[in-house]
Amino acid sequence: MTIDLDTLLGWQFPVIEQSYDERDAILYALGVGLGTDPTDERQLRFLYEEGMVAFPTLALVLGHPGPWYSDPATGIDWIRVVHGEQDLRIHQPLRPRDDIVCHTRVTDVIDKGPGRPALVYWERRVSRRETGEPLCTLSSTLVCRNDGGFGGPSGPARPRAAVPDRPATTWCDLPTSPRAGLIYRLSGDRNPLHVDPRVAREAGFERPILHGLCTLGVAAHAILRSVLDYRSERLVGLSGRFSAPMLPGETVRTHLWLEGDDIAFRCVSLDRDLTVIDGGLATLAGAAETVGAAA
């Protein structure tokens, strides 16, 4: 099958109602690497139910519909799909326990031409179930590597952000666990690409790769650690482009540029000297101040 534009633009997602609690919030935080130093009380507040707060990028896994693009009716060669870009807008800090509702839709589809990818833009809006208050808005880009040339519109594609052309203000190194993908998937994304070596090889990778959203969570940790002294309520927006996959067990170096109320960032795998997130941007509530030298 090939992509049918009208089918994708009209794709019917179920309205997802979800309840999560402290256990889910702790599992998410462990999945993105919190708790490597169990004596760091600043990290412990995301991992221990006594006075607990939710790690802000927990929003990334709320109301996720799963690998909906693997449905044959989409016409997408799902095994060749990678997560291209992600944008998160946090409308209010998440609670460590809540009931939410999520509405999902495809917003646009771009055809890059034969032999090139198709881009599928889709959006999730998460609200508190009891009151309808908006909690966060998530915009994602799927890069369907084997699906260009279906006859759809060729643009306009969304512009690519770039980091400043000057040395970074600071940087932060954070290791990932070899088990990171196995832990992170328990927060909702069960795509076998991240756990099954056979599926990874069929997709063209030497072994299972780390979820892009897990890497983005590691970047958020670097920002909280290096700039915000773990004051998580100040992070109100986060976006980035996944330029290459991380492998579980590698160390992420996050380069940070302070730009007033924004922080530009780039993530590099130190093990392979490879940029894995580029054009990153964090939006803060209040001006940023670096709390220490490179960590």
Side-chain angles (χ1 to χ4, degrees):
M1 292 184 65
T2 59
I3 286 176
D4 179 80
L5 181 63
D6 292 336
T7 296
L8 277 187
L9 290 176
W11 193 259
Q12 294 297 305
F13 293 87
V15 175
I16 295 178
E17 295 187 357
Q18 177 183 357
S19 298
Y20 70 90
D21 59 17
E22 292 86 351
R23 181 182 183 279
D24 300 302
I26 291 169
L27 186 61
Y28 173 82
L30 289 172
V32 297
L34 274 292
T36 303
D37 180 359
T39 67
D40 186 343
E41 295 185 4
R42 300 173 305 166
Q43 296 185 44
L44 196 60
R45 66 200 294 255
F46 304 109
L47 297 164
Y48 178 43
E49 57 272 16
E50 188 68 29
M52 183 181 177
V53 297
F55 196 75
T57 53
L58 172 66
L60 293 170
V61 301
L62 295 182
H64 198 288
W68 60 272
Y69 44 85
S70 65
D71 187 323
T74 66
I76 294 172
D77 181 3
W78 71 273
I79 208 165
R80 297 287 180 176
V81 167
V82 294
H83 194 160
E85 299 168 305
Q86 181 66 50
D87 180 83
L88 165 65
R89 303 291 109 186
I90 301 172
H91 307 308
Q92 57 179 293
L94 298 179
R95 299 171 179 171
R97 166 189 293 267
D98 213 341
D99 301 309
I100 63 97
V101 61
C102 180
H103 294 83
T104 305
R105 66 190 182 107
V106 173
T107 59
D108 206 357
V109 184
I110 300 298
D111 186 353
K112 303 296 286 184
R116 303 189 65 198
L119 305 178
V120 178
Y121 300 117
W122 60 295
E123 176 187 87
R124 287 151 46 213
R125 293 183 176 270
V126 179
S127 306
R128 182 162 290 128
R129 187 163 60 191
E130 182 180 6
T131 63
E133 301 167 81
L135 296 177
C136 57
T137 302
L138 304 106
S139 301
S140 306
T141 304
L142 293 179
V143 180
C144 306
R145 294 181 293 161
N146 201 37
D147 293 304
F150 65 89
S154 60
R158 295 175 183 173
R160 288 191 166 191
V163 299
D165 185 20
R166 57 180 171 81
T169 308
T170 189
W171 49 265
C172 178
D173 288 350
L174 292 172
T176 64
S177 167
R179 298 183 295 174
L182 297 171
I183 299 171
Y184 186 85
R185 69 188 296 269
L186 299 178
S187 291
D189 187 345
R190 300 294 183 97
N191 188 334
L193 176 64
H194 306 293
V195 65
D196 188 328
R198 178 187 58 80
V199 173
R201 287 192 297 270
E202 288 177 1
F205 300 106
E206 62 181 71
R207 58 188 176 96
I209 62 176
L210 194 57
H211 305 69
L213 290 185
C214 182
T215 309
L216 191 59
V218 175
H221 184 190
I223 292 164
L224 264 63
R225 176 180 175 133
S226 298
V227 181
L228 301 180
D229 196 26
Y230 287 95
R231 290 171 288 174
S232 56
E233 72 281 357
R234 293 188 57 203
L235 182 65
V236 296
L238 191 70
S239 62
R241 182 173 71 255
F242 304 113
S243 50
M246 279 288 297
L247 299 178
E250 294 182 334
T251 295
V252 183
R253 173 167 290 178
T254 303
H255 300 269
L256 304 162
W257 288 262
L258 273 61
E259 302 272 290
D261 290 348
D262 294 329
I263 302 172
F265 66 92
R266 170 185 288 147
C267 296
V268 175
S269 163
L270 286 186
D271 302 70
R272 290 175 292 147
D273 191 26
L274 182 67
T275 298
V276 294
I277 296 180
D278 209 355
L281 187 67
T283 303
L284 308 182
E289 294 182 9
T290 310
V291 298

